[in-house]
Amino acid sequence: MEALLSSSSCATLFKPKLISPIAVAPKFNPKSFHFKSKYPLTNNPAARFALAPLKVANSPAETTVSDEAIPAQMKAWVYDDYGDVSVLRFDGSVAVPDIKEDQVLVKVSAAALNPVDFKRRFGKFKATDSPLPTVPGYDVAGTVVKVGSQVKSLKEGDEVYGDVNEKALEGPKQYGSLAEYVAVEEKLLALKPKILDFAQAAALPLAIETANEGLERAGFGPGKSILVLGGAGGVGSLVIQLAKNVFGASRVAATSSTGKLELLKSLGADLAIDYTKENFDELPEKFDVVYDAVGQCEKAVKAVKEGGSVVVLTGAVTPPGFRFVVTSDGSALTKLNPFLESGKVKPVIDPKGPFPFSQVVEAFSYLETGRASGKVVVSPIP
């Protein structure tokens, strides 16, 4: 089962951004793109069904704004075949997705990339994937512009954020968040914290839900100690903060490369371990929980106390380690919103971003180097 990490913790010498002002990205110029596809995602039924049928709404959906305000087509990034970044293409005439009764249509302002995005593009779980062609993207932040007839809480104009795929590896949406619009179930979204802009909010959903669910599954709580492997990554940076400021950890240790040790301390780590100089599994200190976000379970189990837990996101699992795949849940985000509003928990955005919508290929290429700190964000969209 593949990891859902937001970034690795490999060495870098720059300082990531924590709730920093987001610079205005260069204006996107669709005329600079001249991509063609054998299977374009358009409103032409013959073209849309040439490779695989697209899902349509089960029944009419109620609209809170005039349909005339929503275009029939949108800009999006698409791939028609599995492969490396070369399969990604820009398409300026993708059909805006229909919504089902329990869904809302979100006008996307920002999206974030995760390793699961490129692992999906590589075809790592094609047996359970949705049909090609695919608009990738899990994390989203934007504004509700249309609601389904069974939507109860959200309304047009609400600023929201979330992970658009309830099950990361099982039937993720054919239309993801790297587009102007995305259809999302109401239960997967939460109102965006007012203190955060869209880019900062987009950096959170999958990573913070993974961090939170892993801590809950490990039975973590007040007075317990934790070691976070990969503390500067998208998930690890949030595990540190949640453990310290939400779950009441008595002591937080974390690993990173030399250039990221100060980041770990700024996030709340009591002990920052340079994995290039120290072997964490040889330390005399042991921990109630080890959260392994980098795939070192065999060593992680040597650092846990007897009766403790090891949360594993990637790689082989050695008892007492356990692995899980996060379930997207808007209520989990809603529960954590007060900690985000107060600033006790902060998104970490890699300083190379946000990447403009025209540079999605570059954003993926950078993420795939494994050198990013925190999250790689795409904003503004389009």
Side-chain angles (χ1 to χ4, degrees), residues 75-314:
K75 303 176 182 70
W77 284 88
V78 182
Y79 56 89
D80 306 295
D81 298 295
Y82 293 113
D84 60 19
V85 293
S86 67
V87 302
L88 288 164
R89 62 178 179 84
F90 173 81
D91 191 329
S93 57
V94 174
V96 173
D98 296 322
I99 60 170
K100 299 179 181 179
E101 291 180 339
D102 63 342
Q103 292 181 325
V104 300
L105 187 67
V106 176
K107 175 66 177 71
V108 181
S109 294
L113 309 185
N114 296 281
V116 69
D117 286 298
F118 65 75
K119 291 172 181 178
R120 179 188 182 190
R121 195 189 69 235
F122 282 134
K124 296 289 188 179
F125 51 98
K126 64 174 65 178
T128 57
D129 201 358
S130 57
L132 292 167
T134 296
V135 174
Y138 284 66
D139 288 329
V140 69
T143 305
V144 174
V145 295
K146 186 176 181 180
V147 302
S149 58
Q150 299 301 313
V151 171
K152 296 178 175 60
S153 300
L154 296 178
K155 62 184 185 302
E156 179 267 326
D158 283 343
E159 295 182 347
V160 296
Y161 74 125
D163 171 1
V164 305
N165 295 308
E166 183 172 12
K167 300 292 184 181
L169 310 181
E170 300 174 18
K173 288 179 172 59
Q174 187 171 12
Y175 285 107
S177 60
L178 287 171
E180 289 185 275
Y181 296 90
V182 63
V184 192
E185 289 78 8
E186 179 185 30
K187 66 181 181 179
L188 306 185
L189 298 172
L191 293 175
K192 179 182 72 67
K194 291 181 174 60
I195 194 174
L196 303 182
D197 63 26
F198 286 113
Q200 293 162 343
L204 288 165
L206 191 151
I208 200 168
E209 290 179 350
T210 300
N212 182 69
E213 187 173 337
L215 289 169
E216 288 182 338
R217 286 174 177 262
F220 196 73
K224 291 189 176 183
S225 61
I226 187 170
L227 169 64
V228 184
L229 306 185
V235 173
S237 61
L238 289 162
V239 173
I240 293 172
Q241 296 181 78
L242 292 180
K244 191 78 169 184
N245 300 320
V246 178
F247 286 80
S250 61
R251 183 165 169 81
V252 177
T255 66
S256 76
S257 57
T258 307
K260 300 179 182 180
L261 295 177
E262 290 305 313
L263 170 62
L264 301 187
K265 295 175 184 177
S266 72
L267 294 173
D270 301 296
L271 174 64
I273 302 169
D274 186 342
Y275 69 75
T276 70
K277 298 177 181 179
E278 294 183 80
N279 294 318
F280 66 84
D281 56 319
E282 296 177 0
L283 295 175
E285 182 178 5
K286 305 303 176 185
F287 302 86
D288 294 302
V289 171
V290 178
Y291 202 119
D292 177 16
V294 295
Q296 295 185 323
C297 186
E298 188 173 344
K299 295 176 66 177
V301 297
K302 298 177 182 178
V304 71
K305 293 179 180 178
E306 185 176 351
S309 299
V310 178
V311 184
V312 181
L313 297 185
T314 186

